[in-house]
Amino acid sequence: MLNFPSLLQKLPQSAVFQTHSDLWVKRDDLIHPIISGNKARKLQAFLMAIEVNKPSAILSMGGNRSNFLHALAYICYSRGIACHALIRGHQPKVFDRTLRDLESWGTHLSFIDKDTFVQLRDKPELALQKADKLDAVWLPEGGSNADALHGIIKAVDELGFAPDEIFVPVGTGCTALGLALGCQQRGWNTKVIAVVVLKGAEAIKDSIAELATEAGYNLPDNLVLEHNFCGAGFGKVTADIKQQQIDYEKALGLPLEPVYSVKMVNALAHYCKNNLVGKRVVMWHTGGLQGNATN
C-alpha cells in the first residue's frame, strides 16, 4: 500500500539555484497518492495498530489545509472507522480541496475558534469532551507523538549518503526532529534546516523539545529552526507564492504545493546563494499535493 523507500532524486542545476552544490530531493510525495509524504511515515505505527485492534472512532485536530488530517481521514474512510476533526478557525464559506475530501469521506468537522483550539491542543481529554466523543482514539495535531517520531527517524535509513544539509518544511516540527535525530544516531554531521511555515511560531521550539522528551531524546543540536520564509502566514496562498511555485516547478521538474514546499524551496534558494557551495544537500518533499487541486 505504501511505496517505501521513496525515490531519492538528483536535482538539476538551474538559474534559480546559483550554486555548485550537489542537490537532491527525497520524494516522499510518491509514497502513496493520498497518504503521501511525512504523513505516511508518521502513520505507519497507527496503520499496523488498527489492523490488530480497529477502533470505532478517531479524533484529531488541525488547520483547514492540514495534510495530516487529509491522510488520516482517508485511512479512516478506507477502513470503516468514524473520523472526527477539530478544525482551527471559522468555517469557510467555500471549502478547499482538503476540506472537500474530508467531507466526502464522511469526516465529522467541528470548527473551533483559535483561542479554544490552542487550549485543546495539549489537553486531549478536553478535546474529546468538546467533540462529544469520549470513546474515540486521540491522535495529536499533525500526528506528532513518539510513534510518529520513530517512523521519521527510520526514514534516514533510506539515504545512501550523509548529506551536509537537509531542508524540510515545518508544521508541528515532528518530521524535522525525526530527521535530525536519525542523522545524529548515525554519527553524521548533517544539519537539518527546518523551515517554519507558520508566522510568529517562535514557541515551536518548546513543543519540539517536549516531543523529544516524550520520546526519550534530548533536543538535537543539529536542528536549526528557520523562521524567515513563512511569508504571509500558514495557508495564506498569495499571488507571489503561486508564481514562485510555477517558477520552481519548471526549474526543478517536480510538483510542489504553496503551503509547505514552496517556502522550503525559498529557503533553499536563499541558502544556495550564500553558504551551500560544495555541499551535498537533500530537500525533503513532504507531500500535500492535494492542496493544488482547484476542483
Side-chain angles (χ1 to χ4, degrees):
M1 183 180 182
L2 299 177
N3 185 27
F4 293 118
S6 65
L7 176 67
L8 182 61
Q9 179 180 340
K10 187 80 167 64
L11 287 174
Q13 294 288 340
S14 71
V16 176
F17 303 100
Q18 298 175 2
T19 177
H20 296 289
S21 300
D22 188 15
L23 301 178
W24 298 76
V25 59
K26 194 73 167 87
R27 295 291 305 275
D28 275 9
D29 58 303
L30 298 177
I31 290 174
H32 187 273
I34 299 177
I35 314 168
S36 73
N38 56 341
K39 280 64 67 180
R41 299 189 186 279
K42 287 180 175 183
L43 287 164
Q44 275 182 285
F46 171 74
L47 280 165
M48 290 187 289
I50 63 175
E51 291 297 328
V52 177
N53 185 20
K54 188 172 82 170
S56 61
I58 300 290
L59 173 67
S60 190
M61 63 196 306
N64 60 10
R65 291 177 178 268
S66 170
N67 297 324
F68 176 76
L69 286 180
H70 190 262
L72 178 64
Y74 175 77
I75 291 171
C76 290
Y77 167 72
S78 64
R79 297 298 195 279
I81 301 170
C83 186
H84 298 258
L86 302 178
I87 308 296
R88 180 180 61 245
H90 66 275
Q91 180 172 337
K93 294 180 180 178
V94 178
F95 282 7
D96 68 5
R97 173 61 181 273
T98 299
L99 288 181
R100 289 203 308 273
D101 281 351
L102 264 62
E103 189 174 50
S104 71
W105 294 330
T107 304
H108 184 274
L109 305 177
S110 299
F111 292 86
I112 308 296
D113 69 83
K114 294 180 180 179
D115 289 341
T116 303
F117 187 93
V118 171
Q119 294 170 10
L120 298 177
R121 181 178 278 147
D122 299 319
K123 297 181 176 63
E125 66 284 354
L126 295 182
L128 291 165
Q129 291 176 15
K130 183 73 174 179
D132 195 24
K133 290 302 298 180
L134 296 178
D135 59 334
V137 171
W138 165 256
L139 287 179
E141 183 182 12
S144 295
N145 58 21
D147 285 339
L149 183 63
H150 292 138
I152 301 295
I153 291 172
K154 292 177 184 177
V156 180
D157 290 337
E158 298 177 12
L159 296 176
F161 55 83
D164 294 296
E165 318 262 354
I166 294 176
F167 282 74
V168 62
V170 168
T172 61
C174 179
T175 300
L177 174 61
L179 294 177
L181 288 169
C183 292
Q184 187 182 73
Q185 289 176 8
R186 286 153 186 78
W188 295 352
N189 293 318
T190 304
K191 186 181 296 183
V192 175
I193 310 298
V195 184
V196 181
V197 302
L198 292 87
K199 195 171 186 177
E202 283 71 20
I204 196 170
K205 182 176 181 179
D206 295 332
S207 62
I208 293 173
E210 289 175 8
L211 176 58
T213 301
E214 175 192 339
Y217 299 103
N218 294 319
L219 187 66
D221 57 10
N222 61 333
L223 178 63
V224 178
L225 292 172
E226 173 58 79
H227 291 275
N228 293 318
F229 299 92
C230 58
F234 181 76
K236 292 181 169 55
V237 181
T238 63
D240 285 344
I241 288 180
K242 291 299 292 182
Q243 186 58 53
Q244 289 164 353
Q245 180 179 349
I246 292 169
D247 294 341
Y248 290 150
E249 288 181 336
K250 182 178 179 180
L252 298 174
L254 74 156
L256 301 170
E257 52 73 43
V259 178
Y260 290 92
S261 56
V262 170
K263 293 177 181 180
M264 170 183 60
V265 180
N266 274 335
L268 175 60
H270 174 81
Y271 275 68
C272 281
K273 295 176 182 178
N274 292 278
N275 58 359
L276 294 183
V277 174
K279 293 186 177 182
R280 181 172 278 185
V281 179
V282 172
M283 183 178 75
W284 210 286
H285 196 318
T286 56
L289 296 178
Q290 86 283 343
N292 288 330
T294 57
N295 52 46

